[in-house]
Amino acid sequence: MATVVTVTSGKGGVGKTTSSAAIAAGLAKAGHRTVVIDFDVGLRNLDLIMGVERRVVFDFVNVITGEATLNQALIQDKRIDNLSILAASQTKDKDALTEDGVEKVLQELADTGFEYIVCDSPAGIEKGATMALHFADHAIIVTNPEVSSVRDSDRILGILQSKSKRAKEGGKVAEHLLVTRYDPDRVDQGEMLSKEDVCDILAVDLIGVIPESKAVLKASNTGVPVILDAESDAGQAYDDAVARFLGEERPMRFVDLKKRGLLSRMFGGD
C-alpha cells in the first residue's frame, strides 16, 4: 500500500517545490520506491528542480485524460534508481484535475509498487492544492518563519482537518512541520520568528529546519535536489528531516546562533 505525502504551503515562495524534490529524493535514497508528482497544472516547476525538463513528453493530465499511459509519462531519475517524476501540464487548465482521475492515477502508482507518492502541491487553496490535500496520508507543511507565512499555513491545516478524504472518513492526516529559510541571526535580532514560536502557533510536530542557504538556489538552477549536496547545510538539514519523517531521532542542527570568537566580535567579522 502506497503512502501519499503531500508537501504543501499556504503562501508561495517558501521553498515547497524545492522541499518536494528533496524529500522525494531522500525517501528514494533511503531505499523506498518513490514517485513525486507536480500538481501545479499550468505553472510546472518540479521538472526544472529535478533537472528533467527536457525529458518531459507526457504529463500528469495526459494520464488522467487517457492520452498517455502512466508508463509513458513517468520519468526515471538518472541519479537514484528508486525515484520517478510525473510532471504537470503547462498547457492544460487546473480543471483537468478531477477527483476520480487523480484517484485512479494514485491507485495505479500504488499497484505499480511505489511505496511513497510525494505530491508537490501548489501554494494556496486553488483546485490543484485542494486535490493534493484531499488524498494525503501525511502532509508536510512548509512555512517560512514569518507571520504571514505561518498564518497561511494555519489555514491549510484547517482544510486538512476538515476536507481531506481521511478527515471525511473520520480519520486524520498525519501532519509534519518543515520550517525553511531559517536564519538564527535574524531570530536573535527579533526580525524573524523562532522555531519555537512557529511550533507554538501551528501546534504541529517539527520534522526539520532548513537554514537560509545559497546551496538551495544553486541546486534549483542546476536541476539537482539540494539533499544530494551532502556538503551543504541545507542538504544535511533535508537529510535530517527525511530521517525524522521515517522515524529516526536526530538532533536539530543549524538552529542556534553561531558563537563568534573575540576577534570577530571586535571587528565585526563572521
Side-chain angles (χ1 to χ4, degrees):
M1 186 68 182
T3 299
V4 178
V5 182
T6 297
V7 181
T8 183
S9 67
K11 190 172 181 288
V14 300
K16 178 183 47 52
T17 299
T18 294
S19 297
S20 296
I23 289 162
L27 290 169
K29 266 181 44 182
H32 302 284
R33 193 169 177 223
T34 304
V35 58
V36 56
I37 306 175
D38 192 345
F39 272 75
D40 201 355
V41 174
L43 291 171
R44 77 181 192 212
N45 283 309
L46 179 66
D47 56 312
L48 291 169
I49 301 293
M50 296 296 298
V52 298
E53 67 277 9
R54 295 181 181 178
R55 297 172 60 199
V56 177
V57 178
F58 297 107
D59 56 54
F60 190 16
V61 173
N62 291 143
V63 180
I64 289 174
T65 59
E67 298 170 90
T69 65
L70 184 60
N71 192 51
Q72 287 175 314
L74 281 176
I75 300 169
Q76 170 67 49
D77 188 89
K78 291 182 178 179
R79 296 155 298 208
I80 307 172
D81 290 340
N82 288 328
L83 181 60
S84 296
I85 301 99
L86 184 55
S89 171
Q90 280 188 307
T91 57
K92 299 291 195 300
D93 187 84
K94 289 178 172 59
D95 289 336
L97 294 180
T98 64
E99 190 171 306
D100 288 344
V102 172
E103 186 168 29
K104 182 180 177 182
V105 173
L106 295 179
Q107 186 58 57
E108 192 174 348
L109 287 166
D111 293 342
T112 305
F114 284 100
E115 296 173 69
Y116 286 100
I117 301 171
V118 178
C119 302
D120 179 28
S121 167
I125 55 173
E126 49 86 6
K127 188 166 185 180
T130 56
M131 198 66 68
L133 291 169
H134 177 76
F135 291 101
D137 297 313
H138 291 257
I140 296 177
I141 315 298
V142 182
T143 187
N144 291 159
E146 57 182 53
V147 173
S148 62
S149 181
V150 173
R151 182 184 63 186
D152 289 345
S153 294
D154 194 44
R155 190 176 184 191
I156 294 298
L157 287 168
I159 293 172
L160 275 171
Q161 293 159 4
S162 61
K163 296 184 179 180
S164 64
K165 184 178 180 182
R166 278 185 169 246
K168 290 177 180 177
E169 293 173 350
K172 191 176 186 300
V173 176
E175 299 163 351
H176 314 271
L177 179 62
L178 184 68
V179 179
T180 54
R181 304 194 69 177
Y182 196 79
D183 185 339
D185 286 313
R186 293 185 65 193
V187 171
D188 185 61
Q189 293 166 22
E191 299 174 359
M192 183 177 279
L193 296 174
S194 69
K195 63 179 175 51
E196 290 82 9
D197 292 333
V198 178
C199 291
D200 286 345
I201 294 167
L202 296 178
V204 176
D205 288 339
L206 182 68
I207 62 162
V209 176
I210 313 301
E212 182 75 79
S213 173
K214 293 178 181 178
V216 172
L217 180 59
K218 177 185 174 184
S220 298
N221 287 336
T222 56
V224 179
V226 69
I227 196 170
L228 300 183
D229 182 1
E231 300 300 315
S232 71
D233 49 3
Q236 293 170 36
Y238 273 115
D239 191 67
D240 288 345
V242 171
R244 293 187 197 99
F245 176 81
L246 292 171
E248 186 179 331
E249 289 189 15
R250 288 194 182 183
M252 202 70 70
R253 297 188 280 175
F254 315 113
V255 295
D256 296 321
L257 198 62
K258 290 182 180 178
K259 292 182 179 179
R260 299 194 299 169
L262 176 60
L263 289 177
S264 63
R265 291 200 303 271
M266 288 174 63
F267 297 106
D270 291 332

